[in-house]
Amino acid sequence: EVVLTQFPGTLSLSPGERATLSCRASQSISSTHLVWYQQKPGQAPRLLIYGAYSRATGIPDRFSGSGSGTDFTLTISRLEPEDFAVYYCQQYSSLLLTFGGGTKVEIK
Amino acid sequence: QVQLQESGPRLVKPSETLSLTCAVSGDSITSYYWNWIRQPPGKGLEWIGFTHHSGATSYNPSLKSRVTTSVDTSKNQFSLRLSSVTAADTAVYYCAKWAGSPEAFDIWGQGTMVAVSS
């Protein structure tokens, strides 16, 4: 089973700042199998990035994904007030799916 | 646009079986893979498993011995059964659609909170 570790656990930033979130896999995974979600309090997660790099429909271009192998990154170029939330990475391989523990992006 | 709606008891007693249903509207359940995901209060997401109308399933190894999922094509819905529940199974349970393109959970239900308590 692939374990995903996200860091930092919490990121305290101000609106307009750049956010860099990391997701590390316990073994190499295909980039096509790495996904990012955003979750706000009381809501279901929302798909942000799939295939490590591709933005989902309706996702603004301030969100970008990168990485390969075991290290992946979600970058929010300039934080908007609505971006303060928890972000999860997720992978699938061999018909098994796992989520990372999440990174909370909070207002500083 | 596909929409998902979970339903089922909000309170389950320890050692009993948790049963939830997810109604699918806006598309046929014979497409895609249908998943269950849960989130304990204040914690992260945990994938439970998926089911396909063909009968194909895959489950989280940590839950596999207690999980059963199924699809009812006549009602366009799918179901989860989790047996021998304990307080650790208290969580918000989400159903979600795994799209072939993109390969991700692109549609989620709103989630339903299930508490395990006597």
Side-chain angles (χ1 to χ4, degrees):
Chain A
E1 178 180 319
V2 178
V3 176
L4 297 178
T5 301
Q6 291 187 243
F7 54 94
T10 302
L11 204 49
S12 298
L13 296 167
S14 301
E17 290 193 295
R18 181 184 187 90
T20 303
L21 289 67
S22 296
C23 176
R24 178 165 293 161
S26 58
Q27 61 192 74
S28 184
I29 61 174
S30 169
S31 298
T32 59
H33 295 171
L34 194 287
V35 185
W36 291 93
Y37 302 89
Q38 175 195 68
Q39 187 179 33
K40 297 180 180 179
Q43 296 183 17
R46 177 176 72 143
L47 174 63
L48 286 180
I49 301 285
Y50 63 94
Y53 321 115
S54 300
R55 279 187 299 277
T57 302
I59 302 302
D61 60 7
R62 63 180 181 273
F63 290 91
S64 63
S66 62
S68 63
T70 60
D71 291 297
F72 298 88
T73 300
L74 173 69
T75 301
I76 311 170
S77 59
R78 287 179 56 85
L79 283 164
E80 297 287 341
E82 62 267 28
D83 299 337
F84 291 91
V86 180
Y87 294 83
Y88 294 94
C89 59
Q90 173 251 306
Q91 70 80 39
Y92 67 94
S93 62
S94 303
L95 296 182
L96 297 177
L97 293 85
T98 53
F99 288 93
T103 291
K104 181 179 182 180
V105 179
E106 65 176 21
I107 299 177
K108 186 174 181 180
Chain B
Q1 172 76 336
V2 176
Q3 291 186 309
L4 306 178
Q5 179 65 59
E6 304 91 346
S7 62
R10 301 296 185 95
L11 181 64
V12 182
K13 290 182 168 54
S15 80
E16 295 190 345
T17 296
L18 179 159
S19 296
L20 294 173
T21 297
C22 182
V24 179
S25 60
D27 204 340
S28 170
I29 202 163
T30 58
S31 307
Y32 313 117
Y33 287 82
W34 305 98
N35 289 255
W36 291 97
I37 296 154
R38 70 181 184 179
Q39 185 170 36
K43 296 188 177 180
L45 301 167
E46 180 180 35
W47 175 71
I48 299 171
F50 76 67
T51 188
H52 188 262
H53 78 95
S54 65
T57 59
S58 181
Y59 301 136
N60 186 323
S62 68
L63 299 169
K64 187 174 182 178
S65 63
R66 298 193 291 131
V67 172
T68 304
T69 57
S70 60
V71 171
D72 186 336
T73 55
S74 66
K75 295 182 179 179
N76 221 46
Q77 65 186 32
F78 62 105
S79 300
L80 167 71
R81 288 173 59 85
L82 180 65
S83 64
S84 305
V85 297
T86 69
D89 295 309
T90 294
V92 174
Y93 285 76
Y94 295 100
C95 57
K97 165 179 162 277
W98 180 264
S101 178
E103 290 184 297
F105 297 120
D106 66 336
I107 303 292
W108 295 66
Q110 65 185 23
T112 186
M113 178 67 196
V114 180
V116 177
S117 175
S118 54

